[in-house]
Amino acid sequence: MDWLSDHASAVAGAIALVLAALAWWGDHRRLHRRDPDRIGIIPWTGLFFWSVLAAAILLAAASQQWLAR
């Protein structure tokens, strides 16, 4: 079978982990900006939280599937 279809939860977990890293970087930049009056429109903290949660769940499911084989 196709590798991507066999490891869909691992691939989705890795994508969520990359998104979490980008959200952490965006939140770090937001917290250390020079002009505190310049606000952004992206909710970096919430995006980080939900992407880490999704990554943890998806990678746990992938590890269960890998250990079951």
Side-chain angles (χ1 to χ4, degrees):
M1 288 196 123
D2 188 35
W3 189 88
L4 187 61
S5 65
D6 288 344
H7 302 91
S9 59
V11 171
I15 291 170
L17 200 59
V18 168
L19 180 62
L22 290 173
W24 174 83
W25 179 66
D27 196 35
H28 179 77
R29 287 189 63 212
R30 182 185 61 83
L31 289 173
H32 294 95
R33 64 180 173 244
R34 291 181 191 216
D35 185 10
D37 292 332
R38 252 182 91 197
I39 59 170
I41 61 170
I42 306 289
W44 293 112
T45 307
L47 186 62
F48 173 74
F49 173 76
W50 291 111
S51 58
V52 164
L53 183 66
I57 292 170
L58 288 166
L59 291 174
S63 67
Q64 274 187 335
Q65 290 172 358
W66 180 67
L67 290 174
R69 289 181 189 208

